[in-house]
Amino acid sequence: MPSEAPAGSPAVRAAADPYAPLRSNNYLALLLITALLGVALSAGAYGFLQAVSHLQSALYSDLPEDLGFHGAPIWWPLPLLVTAGLLVAGAVQYLPGNGGHPPAEGLSTEGAPTASALPGILLAALASLAFGAVIGPEAPLIALGGGVAVYAVRLLRPGTDAKTQRVIGAAGSFAAISALLGSPLLGAFLLMEAAGLAGPVMGVVLLPGLLAAGVGSLVFTGLGSWTGLGTATLSIPDLPEVHAPDIAQFGWALVVGLAAAFTGTGVRRLALWAQPYVNQRRLLLTPLAGLLVAGLAIAYAEGSGKNASDVLFSGQVALPGLLTHNATYSAGALTLLLACKWLAYGASLAAFRGGPIFPAMYLGAVGGIALSHLPALPVIAGAAMGIGAMSVAMLRLPMTSVLLATLLLGRDGVTVMPLVIVAVVLCHVVTARLTPAPRPGVRTPETSSSG
């Protein structure tokens, strides 16, 4: 039998008092380091997001005009997404780090990548996000923030132990993702729930990350004001006021939760089914996946008369416009958008690199707005329930999914929060029942993800 630790050993003292690290000088030094890293990494995340925005504008607006076109031709996404496929395939195939965590497998919480993996992750993310793949920026930011933080602390303090490096890496990820979500609390909450941590030790381990996120958000806001470029924020202003939910809307919450469970499970299964084929012939099939995404965007634009950008990209920029101008979308256009975005999302998850959050939110909003054309479902309530339910279907993080929908819609989000909770809970339970249970001892993409 293993010998028991002496009564006065550090292990026993730590077990008896989980808050002991908070009283140590080393922990104060750790907080100082993470605060400084929060400043640097938030500035880096700001630069990354601005680079993606400017590249998107340059590729889809400036370049067509420079070539003599009056706006981007209808076929314009085709060569861009094929090029994106080649760049992503090359980064995954030939650079260390696999281009980052495959997004079909959810958000990764397996630790910060090595320094050698960072260039490949950066290239794959920029190519995916800027050229129009239906993928979000959160996963690359989490990986890059954590990887840069660990690399920096190894340079500054070469003797840092592995546990401290993990805490520093988590703090870097906190700072980077909070810059994107516009809320240090939401960014910290997302990573806490994704990591599955609990108990008093959680506060000790994640407090440096919360500090880095808070300091970083201040820097991020300051940079937006100083440069005049603005900052990322989830909150959408000037939405129509909603009234307190009624019984009919609670009935709709059940419908939305159930529909989102099947929709989210379907796109996840599509991506996981296609991913092994892409991995086997990456240099051929990744550009073909880009061609499929471009073709779906063109088909939607031709069929609806709307802009192809509704299908392209993560939906992060397009979501506010969709909510504020929802009356300009017919039920048919919304249905076509839902189908095309769903397929493009699945193809992008299988072949490109990025995160699953914003496309899921956009799909949920489209579905909720489409259902609002039926009786007794206000449009904002439908969108809120759709956003929350689709988020939990893809992330498997119920608390974070409720917060995403609530913060996005501001005061309206608080009003419809009970509906969002019902839709999220039902969707989460049904999604779990639709997902096959892993066999003992077998590691699958479903079980290796945060979900």
Side-chain angles (χ1 to χ4, degrees):
M1 295 180 60
S3 60
E4 296 183 357
S9 68
V12 172
R13 288 198 303 270
D17 183 9
Y19 299 105
L22 294 175
R23 305 184 187 96
S24 69
N25 292 333
N26 287 337
Y27 192 80
L28 294 178
L30 178 62
L31 289 177
L32 177 61
I33 291 171
T34 53
L36 294 174
L37 283 173
V39 173
L41 290 171
S42 182
Y46 182 88
F48 174 83
L49 294 172
Q50 289 299 324
V52 169
S53 176
H54 285 292
L55 281 171
Q56 289 176 351
S57 179
L59 291 170
Y60 279 89
S61 298
D62 299 341
L63 185 57
E65 294 180 2
D66 292 342
L67 294 176
F69 296 104
H70 297 288
I74 189 66
W75 50 263
W76 191 254
L78 292 170
L80 290 184
L81 277 156
V82 170
T83 302
L86 291 171
L87 291 172
V88 172
V92 174
Q93 185 90 359
Y94 299 114
L95 296 178
N98 199 39
H101 184 72
E105 299 175 14
L107 287 174
S108 173
T109 58
E110 296 180 353
T114 62
S116 62
L118 297 179
I121 294 173
L122 180 61
L123 175 59
L126 287 175
S128 298
L129 295 166
F131 283 76
V134 184
I135 210 76
E138 64 280 357
L141 280 176
I142 290 172
L144 292 169
V148 170
V150 171
Y151 180 63
V153 79
R154 284 175 178 171
L155 285 179
L156 297 173
R157 301 181 67 179
T160 304
D161 61 88
K163 181 179 179 180
T164 302
Q165 289 184 30
R166 288 195 297 271
V167 174
I168 293 288
S173 296
F174 272 55
I177 193 65
S178 296
L180 168 67
L181 298 177
S183 167
L185 183 60
L186 179 55
F189 202 96
L190 185 151
L191 291 179
M192 284 191 296
E193 193 175 15
L197 300 173
V201 176
M202 178 182 69
V204 175
V205 174
L206 297 181
L207 190 61
L210 188 60
L211 176 62
V215 173
S217 291
L218 291 174
V219 173
F220 198 78
T221 303
L223 283 173
S225 176
W226 178 60
T227 62
L229 297 175
T231 58
T233 176
L234 278 185
S235 181
I236 300 176
D238 302 324
L239 291 174
E241 185 178 357
V242 297
H243 300 290
D246 55 26
I247 295 298
Q249 291 175 37
F250 275 99
W252 274 114
L254 301 178
V255 174
V256 171
L258 191 62
F262 283 94
T263 303
T265 301
V267 75
R268 191 179 179 92
R269 287 190 177 183
L270 171 64
L272 290 172
W273 169 81
Q275 182 176 271
Y277 297 100
V278 174
N279 291 343
Q280 291 169 11
R281 306 187 67 182
R282 184 173 288 116
L283 293 175
L284 172 64
L285 293 183
T286 307
L288 285 180
L291 201 63
L292 173 62
V293 172
L296 289 165
I298 293 170
Y300 164 75
E302 289 289 283
S304 67
K306 296 289 186 180
N307 199 302
S309 62
D310 286 350
V311 172
L312 301 173
F313 308 112
S314 68
Q316 177 188 356
V317 175
L319 184 54
L322 174 72
L323 290 170
T324 54
H325 301 104
N326 64 82
T328 65
Y329 288 81
S330 67
L334 290 166
T335 303
L336 182 60
L337 175 56
L338 186 66
C340 292
K341 190 84 171 183
W342 185 90
L343 286 169
Y345 185 24
S348 297
L349 287 172
F352 291 92
R353 288 296 185 265
I357 293 179
F358 286 101
M361 294 174 66
Y362 189 88
L363 266 183
V366 172
I369 294 171
L371 288 174
S372 73
H373 285 261
L374 298 173
L377 179 60
V379 63
I380 298 301
M385 290 186 285
I387 290 168
M390 271 301 296
S391 296
V392 80
M394 296 304 297
L395 298 177
R396 315 292 179 85
L397 307 176
M399 299 293 190
T400 299
S401 299
V402 172
L403 278 177
L404 283 169
T406 302
L407 291 179
L408 177 73
L409 301 175
R411 183 173 56 188
D412 288 350
V414 175
T415 303
V416 300
M417 185 188 288
L419 301 174
V420 174
I421 291 173
V422 172
V424 165
V425 170
L426 177 62
C427 181
H428 192 42
V429 172
V430 175
T431 299
R433 296 182 69 88
L434 292 174
T435 303
R439 289 175 292 174
V442 177
R443 183 178 175 85
T444 67
E446 293 283 350
T447 58
S448 65
S449 70
S450 62

